[in-house]
Amino acid sequence: QVQLVESGGGLVQPGGSLRLSCAASRTIFSFKLMGWYRQAPGKQRELVAQISRGGSTNYADSVKGRFTVSRDNAKNTVSLKMNSLKPEDTAVYYCNLDVGSLQFWGQGTQVTVSA
């Protein structure tokens, strides 16, 4: 099993920025995808951004051009840089690790965008 721990959430004004980080409890030598999902109150959990083993990325249309996902293999971390935040970005953000046969989830970190 692998534990994922998110950090970096908080309260930010519209137009502001936050950087989320997800740290794995152990080294992952092979995986398919790592990424971020979010769930807003009363809504379904949705994909925000993913990064593959080879470094290719995928973003939800709603965050393209504003969010950037990256990975540091040496540190076993994946990050999500969020710029130009909007109130509709308010949600609990979850780190996800896909190893093919199994998926692992972090506990979530709250992001609130409000004036």
Side-chain angles (χ1 to χ4, degrees):
Q1 298 293 317
V2 177
Q3 182 176 219
L4 305 175
V5 180
E6 302 99 333
S7 62
L11 175 64
V12 64
Q13 293 187 350
S17 298
L18 284 174
R19 186 178 183 90
L20 306 182
S21 181
C22 172
S25 61
R26 61 176 59 191
T27 301
I28 307 300
F29 295 101
S30 181
F31 65 94
K32 293 181 66 177
L33 296 164
M34 293 189 72
W36 293 89
Y37 289 71
R38 68 186 181 188
Q39 187 167 22
K43 296 185 177 181
Q44 300 284 338
R45 185 175 298 186
E46 64 177 354
L47 173 68
V48 178
Q50 294 176 312
I51 185 165
S52 73
R53 180 182 180 184
S56 62
T57 56
N58 182 50
Y59 298 92
D61 288 341
S62 60
V63 307
K64 285 182 179 178
R66 299 188 298 120
F67 291 11
T68 303
V69 64
S70 61
R71 192 183 81 232
D72 187 332
N73 292 336
K75 298 180 179 179
N76 298 320
T77 60
V78 61
S79 298
L80 183 69
K81 184 67 171 70
M82 305 184 293
N83 296 323
S84 302
L85 284 161
K86 304 174 180 179
E88 51 262 43
D89 295 318
T90 296
V92 177
Y93 284 70
Y94 297 90
C95 182
N96 172 262
L97 168 64
D98 182 352
V99 299
S101 59
L102 292 172
Q103 291 199 46
F104 302 92
W105 295 89
Q107 82 286 355
T109 185
Q110 177 71 47
V111 172
T112 302
V113 185
S114 176

